[in-house]
Amino acid sequence: MTKSQKMFGAAAAFGLAAMLAAGAAGAQPVRLTVGDLSVPGEAQAFDAQLAAAAHRACAGDYQPSELAGRAACESAARQRAVSQLTPAQREDYAQALRPAQALAMR
């Protein structure tokens, strides 16, 4: 990451408007706060926001017994939101979460 990218990420958290509902008619955009995704704590906070927003967006479309459909909806919603990040942000996000995910797998 370049110095200017780090300064931008650290200096200003900005909103990411993401259409999270998977094809639901009338789905409302959700605004997520994106900080410096190269910082593990900020990447984890963004990941938690994203997971909660995807869960809320998909929860009403599926019955509790339809776990596979709901999981697919949430995954698609997360992918659409992450695709709105810049390539540098996506790389930082993946790198910052990697250690936490590796430890959780142990």
Side-chain angles (χ1 to χ4, degrees):
M1 178 186 284
T2 67
K3 183 178 179 182
S4 63
Q5 288 171 318
K6 284 183 182 178
M7 287 174 52
F8 175 77
F14 60 95
L16 171 69
M19 188 68 72
L20 288 177
Q28 299 297 312
V30 175
R31 190 171 265 321
L32 302 175
T33 301
V34 180
D36 184 350
L37 296 177
S38 68
V39 176
E42 291 189 37
Q44 290 167 352
F46 174 73
D47 194 58
Q49 281 187 81
L50 185 53
H55 179 78
R56 283 190 308 273
C58 296
D61 294 337
Y62 296 91
Q63 297 297 319
S65 61
E66 299 175 303
L67 293 178
R70 188 155 134 190
C73 175
E74 290 180 18
S75 177
R78 289 174 62 95
Q79 287 175 357
R80 274 194 299 283
V82 170
S83 74
Q84 293 182 40
L85 297 171
T86 66
Q89 287 174 314
R90 285 193 297 268
E91 180 64 26
D92 287 345
Y93 178 51
Q95 291 282 338
L97 290 181
R98 194 166 289 131
Q101 290 174 344
L103 291 175
M105 299 294 279
R106 291 183 181 179

